[in-house]
Every structure is written in structure tokens, then in C-alpha cells.
Amino acid sequence: MRRNSLVGCAAVLVGCGAPVLEAEVTLELTDVPTVYRATWDVQDADEVWFEFGSPDCDQATPVSEESSGETLLLGVPPLSKVCYQLVATVDGERVEGEMGEVRTEKVDAQVPYFQLDEYVEDSVEPGYILGSTALGPAARFVLNRQGEAVWSNMAGDGLLSPQTLPSGDGEGILVNEFSEDFENDVGVVKKVDFDGTEVWSQRTELAHHAFETLPDGTIVYLAIDVRNVDPWGAVVGDALFELSPEGVVREVWNIWDHTDDLPLEHNSAWELGFYPQGKDYSHANSVRYDEGHDSYTISFRNLDTILEIDRQTGEHLRQFGRYGDYSLTDGQYIGAPHAAYWTSDDTLLFFTSPRMEDESWAVELKVDDANQTASRMWSYGEGVGHKVLIMGEATRLDGGNTLVNFGSKGILTEVTPDGEVVWRVHMSIGNFPGHTKLLSSFYEAH
């Protein structure tokens, strides 16, 4: 542990008409400066949990039927007094322990500061924002709706870690890491628990930008594939791989097998030097799996194209944008796309920065497969004035709002279907967010 702060007591639980119980309670600060581990040992209780929070004890850990165990107190801000209380049921009646108090510490100085600009409490989706910084230093974080980092974790020096996903078991998150200058191949996907413990790490060779997970635990990741092409020399393309829980790697798709659909043509981005290995051909920047389609959707910044791929065969199903086989009914506006995926309504939602426009948008398309057309049914960003040069993302939330991440502008915004801003934060100068996701609860991080 980075620091142990032990607060122990022999708590007497007394309820009206209930028996007296002895309970031993200990709190210990974990490697995360805002997270305490609470342990208990009680006798004859039916159920046990902790109520805690700052400034009020208005949060609760999951209920346990064990007489002894441990749990984490999650979701409290840094540098805050935290009240806590062990609660149990005995013969169906609630009994309470003594109230205690601890204090959280400050987060790492490299975790970005967020300024809250807008918060319409009755209109936002409840929960926390899971995210990371897109550039070094690589910080992973969870924000409350006041913009405070209630959980944080740092990657090592010289690494990028733009993708974060819930681990699915409610105990932590999955993250990717790779070299910030792309010079060395050190790509991995890791699980980090909410107490800061690194649980496991899986090597992902030549990985970059983004990864995805399947229901069976398979890790899906983008990787570069460098080829020497006359007359340009070394050219960096993209491939998509699956890594099974048993450690078997399968190449699902490779752009070099599909240059007829995605032509190798010189463009201005080739000369930016993004990859030291060669000219940047396609620049895949996100991958998402759709279980209903059993397909992967990839966004290609340098090709101004969104591609849907059959998971089993690797064949192209649908293409949108510059090299699309579907036409947009209201003009071509897919430029440097990012984070495209199929919503639960089977619409295509993505973030776009059209080449000749001064603004970037979140866009949702209704797709007509019979006529091979796509029409814009919703968008946000036009008239707002944010031109995003790197990244960007739009995520449909369960209640219908959309979380719009304006990438290199350093702004996270939640908007209603009518485009009303109900929550907005901006990051400290020099930082901007990578991928973001709403967690309805720390204890249900799925």
C-alpha cells in the first residue's frame, strides 16, 4: 500500500428490539487517494453493508451476507471528509454501528483539472464519467457530475492510454497502453481494479489507439502493419486482431487485402509524421463491436471513411464517406471520422470534422440498406464553433441524451435530443480527453 490509514473500532450495533452485536471495523487507504478499503467482522447479522459519503452518508456499498469481508468506498472526492457507518440487518431489523470519519487525499498532480460550466441536475443521466487523457501524461479517471476526479490512476512515463472500458465485473476498468511516440512496440491491455491494483496484462503487438472486448472476454485491437510500397517507401496501414481468453491471436481483417475498396492514395496527412515507421495511409482510430450484427465498425481518419466488417469473414459489409458504397442524402460531411458505432436503434452515430468546415459535429445517420443511402436524423455541434483536430466522440446514453466529447478542444458535453446542454466541463490547458463512457454506478461497472 502507498499509505495505510487505519481507523479501527469495536462497534456495538444496537437496534430497537434487536440483539446487541459486536463488530470490528477497519478502514485503510488504498493506492488510489480517494478510495478506502473497509473490512468488517460481525456476529449473527443477516446482511451487512456500509453507508458513507461526503459530506453526508448518502452512498452505500453492495449488501453482503457474509459475517466478515471487505469492500471499497467509491465515488468520494479528493481532500474530503468522509463519514462512514457499518449497517446490518438482524432478524429483518436495521441496526447501525458507530459513525466514523476519514479523509481522502489529493490526486496525482498530473490528473487534469475539470471546470464545471453547466449542470442541470434534473436532466442529466445519473452516474459518473469514465475517461482518460489522450496525450501524456497518461491519466485514467472517473469524474462525478461536479467535475471532480473521484478515482484516478496513472500509466507509466512515455505511454499513452486513450481507451478505458468498464471491466464488466464491477471491480475495475480495462485500459490500453502503448508508446507515446509510437517508436517502440510496447502495446498492452490491462485490468486495473478500483483499489489501484493491476490484476493482469495482455500483450497486444503493434497495437494503437483503441481496443474493444467481446462478451466472452476476447480482446479486439487495432494494430499497424507497415509495408514497403513503390514509389512511396514505407507506408503504415491498419489491421484488426482478436486475442482470445486462451491467448490465441487471430487476424480478422487487414487493409492491405482491401486496397481496391480503400485505395492507397497520397494525401496531406502522409507528411505529418504521426508514425515514425512510415507514411500514414489509413489511420484507424476506433473500433466497436456490434453483437446484433456480429460485426466491427472502424473509423479511418485519413480516408474520411467508416467501415463495417463481418467478424467471422473479415469481408466488408457497408462503407460510408469518401470511399463509401452508401450515399449521404444531404451531402458529404464525413471527414476525419472518429468513434463510429451502431446504436441500440440501429442508427450509425459518430463524430466528424469535415475537411472544409470550421466546426466538428456529432452525427447520427439512419441507414436505408435497400437503397444504399444514409440520411442525417440528428446532429450536434453546428453553430457551436468547436473545430476538433484530434479525436472526438459521441455516445448515446440509455435515457436518450448524448455525451459529446470534443476531443482536442478539451470539452465534454451532455446534450438532450433537442440539443440542450445539460452538463459541460472543460479540462485544464494542455490536456484533452480520450474515449469516455458513463458509469451508472461504480458498483455496477458494466
PDB file of all heavy atoms in Angstrom, residues 125-159:
ATOM      1  N   GLU A 125     -28.146  12.324 -17.187  1.00  0.00           N
ATOM      2  CA  GLU A 125     -28.208  10.902 -16.850  1.00  0.00           C
ATOM      3  C   GLU A 125     -27.394  10.692 -15.565  1.00  0.00           C
ATOM      4  O   GLU A 125     -26.276  11.205 -15.440  1.00  0.00           O
ATOM      5  CB  GLU A 125     -27.599  10.073 -17.971  1.00  0.00           C
ATOM      6  CG  GLU A 125     -28.260  10.285 -19.310  1.00  0.00           C
ATOM      7  CD  GLU A 125     -29.242   9.191 -19.663  1.00  0.00           C
ATOM      8  OE1 GLU A 125     -29.334   8.217 -18.905  1.00  0.00           O
ATOM      9  OE2 GLU A 125     -29.902   9.322 -20.700  1.00  0.00           O
ATOM     10  N   PRO A 126     -27.918   9.959 -14.590  1.00  0.00           N
ATOM     11  CA  PRO A 126     -27.168   9.756 -13.346  1.00  0.00           C
ATOM     12  C   PRO A 126     -25.937   8.885 -13.587  1.00  0.00           C
ATOM     13  O   PRO A 126     -25.938   8.003 -14.443  1.00  0.00           O
ATOM     14  CB  PRO A 126     -28.188   9.054 -12.443  1.00  0.00           C
ATOM     15  CG  PRO A 126     -29.145   8.404 -13.382  1.00  0.00           C
ATOM     16  CD  PRO A 126     -29.231   9.310 -14.571  1.00  0.00           C
ATOM     17  N   GLY A 127     -24.892   9.158 -12.811  1.00  0.00           N
ATOM     18  CA  GLY A 127     -23.700   8.330 -12.894  1.00  0.00           C
ATOM     19  C   GLY A 127     -22.424   9.134 -12.962  1.00  0.00           C
ATOM     20  O   GLY A 127     -22.399  10.349 -12.707  1.00  0.00           O
ATOM     21  N   TYR A 128     -21.352   8.452 -13.329  1.00  0.00           N
ATOM     22  CA  TYR A 128     -20.003   9.004 -13.370  1.00  0.00           C
ATOM     23  C   TYR A 128     -19.441   8.873 -14.783  1.00  0.00           C
ATOM     24  O   TYR A 128     -19.857   8.005 -15.548  1.00  0.00           O
ATOM     25  CB  TYR A 128     -19.084   8.251 -12.408  1.00  0.00           C
ATOM     26  CG  TYR A 128     -19.534   8.255 -10.967  1.00  0.00           C
ATOM     27  CD1 TYR A 128     -20.412   7.283 -10.492  1.00  0.00           C
ATOM     28  CD2 TYR A 128     -19.075   9.217 -10.075  1.00  0.00           C
ATOM     29  CE1 TYR A 128     -20.829   7.269  -9.163  1.00  0.00           C
ATOM     30  CE2 TYR A 128     -19.473   9.216  -8.745  1.00  0.00           C
ATOM     31  CZ  TYR A 128     -20.354   8.241  -8.298  1.00  0.00           C
ATOM     32  OH  TYR A 128     -20.753   8.226  -6.987  1.00  0.00           O
ATOM     33  N   ILE A 129     -18.469   9.714 -15.094  1.00  0.00           N
ATOM     34  CA  ILE A 129     -17.831   9.684 -16.410  1.00  0.00           C
ATOM     35  C   ILE A 129     -16.466   9.021 -16.287  1.00  0.00           C
ATOM     36  O   ILE A 129     -15.576   9.508 -15.581  1.00  0.00           O
ATOM     37  CB  ILE A 129     -17.672  11.104 -16.991  1.00  0.00           C
ATOM     38  CG1 ILE A 129     -19.012  11.838 -17.015  1.00  0.00           C
ATOM     39  CG2 ILE A 129     -17.060  11.014 -18.397  1.00  0.00           C
ATOM     40  CD1 ILE A 129     -20.069  11.187 -17.865  1.00  0.00           C
ATOM     41  N   LEU A 130     -16.308   7.899 -16.981  1.00  0.00           N
ATOM     42  CA  LEU A 130     -15.030   7.203 -17.060  1.00  0.00           C
ATOM     43  C   LEU A 130     -14.282   7.684 -18.293  1.00  0.00           C
ATOM     44  O   LEU A 130     -14.853   7.748 -19.382  1.00  0.00           O
ATOM     45  CB  LEU A 130     -15.267   5.689 -17.152  1.00  0.00           C
ATOM     46  CG  LEU A 130     -14.056   4.810 -17.503  1.00  0.00           C
ATOM     47  CD1 LEU A 130     -12.991   4.869 -16.416  1.00  0.00           C
ATOM     48  CD2 LEU A 130     -14.516   3.370 -17.743  1.00  0.00           C
ATOM     49  N   GLY A 131     -12.997   8.029 -18.116  1.00  0.00           N
ATOM     50  CA  GLY A 131     -12.233   8.511 -19.259  1.00  0.00           C
ATOM     51  C   GLY A 131     -10.744   8.486 -18.998  1.00  0.00           C
ATOM     52  O   GLY A 131     -10.258   7.902 -18.035  1.00  0.00           O
ATOM     53  N   SER A 132     -10.017   9.163 -19.882  1.00  0.00           N
ATOM     54  CA  SER A 132      -8.557   9.223 -19.800  1.00  0.00           C
ATOM     55  C   SER A 132      -8.079  10.443 -20.551  1.00  0.00           C
ATOM     56  O   SER A 132      -8.836  11.076 -21.297  1.00  0.00           O
ATOM     57  CB  SER A 132      -7.937   7.954 -20.408  1.00  0.00           C
ATOM     58  OG  SER A 132      -8.267   7.873 -21.783  1.00  0.00           O
ATOM     59  N   THR A 133      -6.814  10.774 -20.361  1.00  0.00           N
ATOM     60  CA  THR A 133      -6.212  11.825 -21.163  1.00  0.00           C
ATOM     61  C   THR A 133      -5.653  11.213 -22.440  1.00  0.00           C
ATOM     62  O   THR A 133      -5.079  10.122 -22.419  1.00  0.00           O
ATOM     63  CB  THR A 133      -5.090  12.539 -20.403  1.00  0.00           C
ATOM     64  OG1 THR A 133      -4.215  11.563 -19.826  1.00  0.00           O
ATOM     65  CG2 THR A 133      -5.653  13.391 -19.294  1.00  0.00           C
ATOM     66  N   ALA A 134      -5.832  11.903 -23.546  1.00  0.00           N
ATOM     67  CA  ALA A 134      -5.416  11.360 -24.839  1.00  0.00           C
ATOM     68  C   ALA A 134      -3.929  11.528 -25.086  1.00  0.00           C
ATOM     69  O   ALA A 134      -3.342  10.806 -25.892  1.00  0.00           O
ATOM     70  CB  ALA A 134      -6.207  12.029 -25.959  1.00  0.00           C
ATOM     71  N   LEU A 135      -3.301  12.493 -24.435  1.00  0.00           N
ATOM     72  CA  LEU A 135      -1.865  12.706 -24.570  1.00  0.00           C
ATOM     73  C   LEU A 135      -1.200  12.505 -23.212  1.00  0.00           C
ATOM     74  O   LEU A 135      -1.846  12.499 -22.176  1.00  0.00           O
ATOM     75  CB  LEU A 135      -1.562  14.112 -25.094  1.00  0.00           C
ATOM     76  CG  LEU A 135      -2.096  14.446 -26.494  1.00  0.00           C
ATOM     77  CD1 LEU A 135      -1.744  15.881 -26.855  1.00  0.00           C
ATOM     78  CD2 LEU A 135      -1.543  13.479 -27.539  1.00  0.00           C
ATOM     79  N   GLY A 136       0.153  12.359 -23.241  1.00  0.00           N
ATOM     80  CA  GLY A 136       0.862  12.192 -21.984  1.00  0.00           C
ATOM     81  C   GLY A 136       0.835  13.466 -21.155  1.00  0.00           C
ATOM     82  O   GLY A 136       0.736  14.573 -21.695  1.00  0.00           O
ATOM     83  N   PRO A 137       0.923  13.381 -19.812  1.00  0.00           N
ATOM     84  CA  PRO A 137       0.986  12.123 -19.073  1.00  0.00           C
ATOM     85  C   PRO A 137      -0.350  11.388 -19.096  1.00  0.00           C
ATOM     86  O   PRO A 137      -1.410  12.016 -19.080  1.00  0.00           O
ATOM     87  CB  PRO A 137       1.345  12.563 -17.655  1.00  0.00           C
ATOM     88  CG  PRO A 137       0.788  13.948 -17.547  1.00  0.00           C
ATOM     89  CD  PRO A 137       0.947  14.558 -18.913  1.00  0.00           C
ATOM     90  N   ALA A 138      -0.285  10.066 -19.185  1.00  0.00           N
ATOM     91  CA  ALA A 138      -1.483   9.262 -19.361  1.00  0.00           C
ATOM     92  C   ALA A 138      -2.180   9.042 -18.021  1.00  0.00           C
ATOM     93  O   ALA A 138      -1.723   8.277 -17.181  1.00  0.00           O
ATOM     94  CB  ALA A 138      -1.130   7.925 -19.998  1.00  0.00           C
ATOM     95  N   ALA A 139      -3.300   9.720 -17.831  1.00  0.00           N
ATOM     96  CA  ALA A 139      -4.083   9.592 -16.606  1.00  0.00           C
ATOM     97  C   ALA A 139      -5.432   8.983 -16.932  1.00  0.00           C
ATOM     98  O   ALA A 139      -6.099   9.399 -17.887  1.00  0.00           O
ATOM     99  CB  ALA A 139      -4.274  10.953 -15.946  1.00  0.00           C
ATOM    100  N   ARG A 140      -5.835   7.986 -16.158  1.00  0.00           N
ATOM    101  CA  ARG A 140      -7.185   7.450 -16.241  1.00  0.00           C
ATOM    102  C   ARG A 140      -7.988   8.024 -15.079  1.00  0.00           C
ATOM    103  O   ARG A 140      -7.452   8.182 -13.970  1.00  0.00           O
ATOM    104  CB  ARG A 140      -7.164   5.926 -16.143  1.00  0.00           C
ATOM    105  CG  ARG A 140      -6.727   5.207 -17.405  1.00  0.00           C
ATOM    106  CD  ARG A 140      -5.230   5.113 -17.606  1.00  0.00           C
ATOM    107  NE  ARG A 140      -4.579   4.212 -16.677  1.00  0.00           N
ATOM    108  CZ  ARG A 140      -3.628   3.348 -17.012  1.00  0.00           C
ATOM    109  NH1 ARG A 140      -3.209   3.272 -18.255  1.00  0.00           N
ATOM    110  NH2 ARG A 140      -3.048   2.593 -16.106  1.00  0.00           N
ATOM    111  N   PHE A 141      -9.268   8.321 -15.281  1.00  0.00           N
ATOM    112  CA  PHE A 141     -10.025   8.990 -14.229  1.00  0.00           C
ATOM    113  C   PHE A 141     -11.499   8.639 -14.307  1.00  0.00           C
ATOM    114  O   PHE A 141     -12.004   8.169 -15.331  1.00  0.00           O
ATOM    115  CB  PHE A 141      -9.868  10.511 -14.328  1.00  0.00           C
ATOM    116  CG  PHE A 141     -10.187  11.075 -15.687  1.00  0.00           C
ATOM    117  CD1 PHE A 141     -11.503  11.269 -16.088  1.00  0.00           C
ATOM    118  CD2 PHE A 141      -9.172  11.411 -16.570  1.00  0.00           C
ATOM    119  CE1 PHE A 141     -11.802  11.786 -17.339  1.00  0.00           C
ATOM    120  CE2 PHE A 141      -9.454  11.919 -17.828  1.00  0.00           C
ATOM    121  CZ  PHE A 141     -10.774  12.113 -18.209  1.00  0.00           C
ATOM    122  N   VAL A 142     -12.189   8.857 -13.187  1.00  0.00           N
ATOM    123  CA  VAL A 142     -13.648   8.840 -13.120  1.00  0.00           C
ATOM    124  C   VAL A 142     -14.083  10.159 -12.503  1.00  0.00           C
ATOM    125  O   VAL A 142     -13.587  10.550 -11.439  1.00  0.00           O
ATOM    126  CB  VAL A 142     -14.175   7.657 -12.282  1.00  0.00           C
ATOM    127  CG1 VAL A 142     -15.700   7.726 -12.185  1.00  0.00           C
ATOM    128  CG2 VAL A 142     -13.741   6.324 -12.890  1.00  0.00           C
ATOM    129  N   LEU A 143     -14.991  10.857 -13.182  1.00  0.00           N
ATOM    130  CA  LEU A 143     -15.486  12.147 -12.712  1.00  0.00           C
ATOM    131  C   LEU A 143     -16.880  11.999 -12.138  1.00  0.00           C
ATOM    132  O   LEU A 143     -17.705  11.245 -12.667  1.00  0.00           O
ATOM    133  CB  LEU A 143     -15.567  13.151 -13.862  1.00  0.00           C
ATOM    134  CG  LEU A 143     -14.324  13.476 -14.670  1.00  0.00           C
ATOM    135  CD1 LEU A 143     -14.676  14.523 -15.721  1.00  0.00           C
ATOM    136  CD2 LEU A 143     -13.210  13.963 -13.784  1.00  0.00           C
ATOM    137  N   ASN A 144     -17.158  12.743 -11.071  1.00  0.00           N
ATOM    138  CA  ASN A 144     -18.545  12.903 -10.665  1.00  0.00           C
ATOM    139  C   ASN A 144     -19.151  14.046 -11.465  1.00  0.00           C
ATOM    140  O   ASN A 144     -18.473  14.678 -12.285  1.00  0.00           O
ATOM    141  CB  ASN A 144     -18.673  13.101  -9.152  1.00  0.00           C
ATOM    142  CG  ASN A 144     -18.006  14.383  -8.654  1.00  0.00           C
ATOM    143  OD1 ASN A 144     -17.701  15.295  -9.427  1.00  0.00           O
ATOM    144  ND2 ASN A 144     -17.775  14.454  -7.351  1.00  0.00           N
ATOM    145  N   ARG A 145     -20.403  14.325 -11.235  1.00  0.00           N
ATOM    146  CA  ARG A 145     -21.075  15.339 -12.049  1.00  0.00           C
ATOM    147  C   ARG A 145     -20.708  16.767 -11.660  1.00  0.00           C
ATOM    148  O   ARG A 145     -21.114  17.719 -12.329  1.00  0.00           O
ATOM    149  CB  ARG A 145     -22.589  15.133 -11.981  1.00  0.00           C
ATOM    150  CG  ARG A 145     -23.067  13.930 -12.787  1.00  0.00           C
ATOM    151  CD  ARG A 145     -22.559  13.992 -14.222  1.00  0.00           C
ATOM    152  NE  ARG A 145     -23.227  13.015 -15.057  1.00  0.00           N
ATOM    153  CZ  ARG A 145     -23.495  13.193 -16.331  1.00  0.00           C
ATOM    154  NH1 ARG A 145     -23.142  14.312 -16.925  1.00  0.00           N
ATOM    155  NH2 ARG A 145     -24.077  12.246 -17.039  1.00  0.00           N
ATOM    156  N   GLN A 146     -19.899  16.921 -10.603  1.00  0.00           N
ATOM    157  CA  GLN A 146     -19.336  18.233 -10.285  1.00  0.00           C
ATOM    158  C   GLN A 146     -17.985  18.438 -10.987  1.00  0.00           C
ATOM    159  O   GLN A 146     -17.355  19.477 -10.812  1.00  0.00           O
ATOM    160  CB  GLN A 146     -19.168  18.400  -8.776  1.00  0.00           C
ATOM    161  CG  GLN A 146     -20.470  18.659  -8.022  1.00  0.00           C
ATOM    162  CD  GLN A 146     -21.367  17.446  -7.994  1.00  0.00           C
ATOM    163  OE1 GLN A 146     -20.913  16.331  -7.759  1.00  0.00           O
ATOM    164  NE2 GLN A 146     -22.652  17.652  -8.219  1.00  0.00           N
ATOM    165  N   GLY A 147     -17.554  17.433 -11.752  1.00  0.00           N
ATOM    166  CA  GLY A 147     -16.283  17.522 -12.457  1.00  0.00           C
ATOM    167  C   GLY A 147     -15.086  17.151 -11.610  1.00  0.00           C
ATOM    168  O   GLY A 147     -13.946  17.386 -12.004  1.00  0.00           O
ATOM    169  N   GLU A 148     -15.329  16.540 -10.435  1.00  0.00           N
ATOM    170  CA  GLU A 148     -14.235  16.157  -9.546  1.00  0.00           C
ATOM    171  C   GLU A 148     -13.762  14.736  -9.874  1.00  0.00           C
ATOM    172  O   GLU A 148     -14.581  13.846 -10.124  1.00  0.00           O
ATOM    173  CB  GLU A 148     -14.696  16.215  -8.086  1.00  0.00           C
ATOM    174  CG  GLU A 148     -15.123  17.602  -7.642  1.00  0.00           C
ATOM    175  CD  GLU A 148     -15.841  17.573  -6.310  1.00  0.00           C
ATOM    176  OE1 GLU A 148     -16.845  16.839  -6.198  1.00  0.00           O
ATOM    177  OE2 GLU A 148     -15.406  18.292  -5.384  1.00  0.00           O
ATOM    178  N   ALA A 149     -12.452  14.535  -9.840  1.00  0.00           N
ATOM    179  CA  ALA A 149     -11.886  13.213 -10.100  1.00  0.00           C
ATOM    180  C   ALA A 149     -12.004  12.366  -8.840  1.00  0.00           C
ATOM    181  O   ALA A 149     -11.198  12.478  -7.915  1.00  0.00           O
ATOM    182  CB  ALA A 149     -10.429  13.335 -10.530  1.00  0.00           C
ATOM    183  N   VAL A 150     -13.017  11.508  -8.794  1.00  0.00           N
ATOM    184  CA  VAL A 150     -13.252  10.680  -7.610  1.00  0.00           C
ATOM    185  C   VAL A 150     -12.490   9.360  -7.679  1.00  0.00           C
ATOM    186  O   VAL A 150     -12.489   8.590  -6.719  1.00  0.00           O
ATOM    187  CB  VAL A 150     -14.752  10.413  -7.417  1.00  0.00           C
ATOM    188  CG1 VAL A 150     -15.487  11.718  -7.166  1.00  0.00           C
ATOM    189  CG2 VAL A 150     -15.343   9.691  -8.624  1.00  0.00           C
ATOM    190  N   TRP A 151     -11.855   9.099  -8.807  1.00  0.00           N
ATOM    191  CA  TRP A 151     -10.965   7.942  -8.955  1.00  0.00           C
ATOM    192  C   TRP A 151      -9.932   8.294 -10.015  1.00  0.00           C
ATOM    193  O   TRP A 151     -10.237   8.990 -10.990  1.00  0.00           O
ATOM    194  CB  TRP A 151     -11.739   6.696  -9.387  1.00  0.00           C
ATOM    195  CG  TRP A 151     -10.885   5.463  -9.473  1.00  0.00           C
ATOM    196  CD1 TRP A 151     -10.588   4.604  -8.455  1.00  0.00           C
ATOM    197  CD2 TRP A 151     -10.190   4.968 -10.622  1.00  0.00           C
ATOM    198  NE1 TRP A 151      -9.752   3.601  -8.902  1.00  0.00           N
ATOM    199  CE2 TRP A 151      -9.501   3.799 -10.231  1.00  0.00           C
ATOM    200  CE3 TRP A 151     -10.082   5.401 -11.946  1.00  0.00           C
ATOM    201  CZ2 TRP A 151      -8.711   3.051 -11.117  1.00  0.00           C
ATOM    202  CZ3 TRP A 151      -9.303   4.666 -12.832  1.00  0.00           C
ATOM    203  CH2 TRP A 151      -8.629   3.505 -12.416  1.00  0.00           C
ATOM    204  N   SER A 152      -8.700   7.833  -9.809  1.00  0.00           N
ATOM    205  CA  SER A 152      -7.649   8.144 -10.778  1.00  0.00           C
ATOM    206  C   SER A 152      -6.574   7.075 -10.737  1.00  0.00           C
ATOM    207  O   SER A 152      -6.395   6.374  -9.738  1.00  0.00           O
ATOM    208  CB  SER A 152      -7.036   9.523 -10.493  1.00  0.00           C
ATOM    209  OG  SER A 152      -6.502   9.566  -9.169  1.00  0.00           O
ATOM    210  N   ASN A 153      -5.853   6.982 -11.841  1.00  0.00           N
ATOM    211  CA  ASN A 153      -4.788   6.001 -11.986  1.00  0.00           C
ATOM    212  C   ASN A 153      -3.869   6.484 -13.097  1.00  0.00           C
ATOM    213  O   ASN A 153      -4.334   6.973 -14.128  1.00  0.00           O
ATOM    214  CB  ASN A 153      -5.384   4.631 -12.314  1.00  0.00           C
ATOM    215  CG  ASN A 153      -4.343   3.584 -12.620  1.00  0.00           C
ATOM    216  OD1 ASN A 153      -4.043   3.313 -13.775  1.00  0.00           O
ATOM    217  ND2 ASN A 153      -3.791   2.971 -11.577  1.00  0.00           N
ATOM    218  N   MET A 154      -2.560   6.361 -12.894  1.00  0.00           N
ATOM    219  CA  MET A 154      -1.594   6.850 -13.864  1.00  0.00           C
ATOM    220  C   MET A 154      -0.910   5.697 -14.581  1.00  0.00           C
ATOM    221  O   MET A 154      -0.575   4.680 -13.979  1.00  0.00           O
ATOM    222  CB  MET A 154      -0.531   7.709 -13.174  1.00  0.00           C
ATOM    223  CG  MET A 154      -1.066   8.937 -12.462  1.00  0.00           C
ATOM    224  SD  MET A 154      -1.852  10.130 -13.573  1.00  0.00           S
ATOM    225  CE  MET A 154      -0.470  10.543 -14.652  1.00  0.00           C
ATOM    226  N   ALA A 155      -0.697   5.864 -15.893  1.00  0.00           N
ATOM    227  CA  ALA A 155       0.146   4.948 -16.644  1.00  0.00           C
ATOM    228  C   ALA A 155       1.598   5.364 -16.459  1.00  0.00           C
ATOM    229  O   ALA A 155       1.902   6.412 -15.889  1.00  0.00           O
ATOM    230  CB  ALA A 155      -0.239   4.967 -18.119  1.00  0.00           C
ATOM    231  N   GLY A 156       2.523   4.545 -16.937  1.00  0.00           N
ATOM    232  CA  GLY A 156       3.935   4.861 -16.795  1.00  0.00           C
ATOM    233  C   GLY A 156       4.386   5.977 -17.715  1.00  0.00           C
ATOM    234  O   GLY A 156       3.672   6.396 -18.634  1.00  0.00           O
ATOM    235  N   ASP A 157       5.583   6.477 -17.468  1.00  0.00           N
ATOM    236  CA  ASP A 157       6.148   7.538 -18.296  1.00  0.00           C
ATOM    237  C   ASP A 157       6.319   7.060 -19.733  1.00  0.00           C
ATOM    238  O   ASP A 157       6.648   5.902 -19.992  1.00  0.00           O
ATOM    239  CB  ASP A 157       7.511   7.968 -17.747  1.00  0.00           C
ATOM    240  CG  ASP A 157       7.414   8.645 -16.391  1.00  0.00           C
ATOM    241  OD1 ASP A 157       6.316   9.141 -16.064  1.00  0.00           O
ATOM    242  OD2 ASP A 157       8.434   8.670 -15.663  1.00  0.00           O
ATOM    243  N   GLY A 158       6.083   7.976 -20.671  1.00  0.00           N
ATOM    244  CA  GLY A 158       6.289   7.663 -22.073  1.00  0.00           C
ATOM    245  C   GLY A 158       5.191   6.842 -22.708  1.00  0.00           C
ATOM    246  O   GLY A 158       5.371   6.320 -23.818  1.00  0.00           O
ATOM    247  N   LEU A 159       4.044   6.723 -22.027  1.00  0.00           N
ATOM    248  CA  LEU A 159       2.955   5.898 -22.539  1.00  0.00           C
ATOM    249  C   LEU A 159       1.710   6.734 -22.813  1.00  0.00           C
ATOM    250  O   LEU A 159       1.475   7.762 -22.171  1.00  0.00           O
ATOM    251  CB  LEU A 159       2.604   4.799 -21.538  1.00  0.00           C
ATOM    252  CG  LEU A 159       3.684   3.764 -21.230  1.00  0.00           C
ATOM    253  CD1 LEU A 159       3.214   2.832 -20.129  1.00  0.00           C
ATOM    254  CD2 LEU A 159       4.068   2.983 -22.479  1.00  0.00           C
TER     255      LEU A 159
END
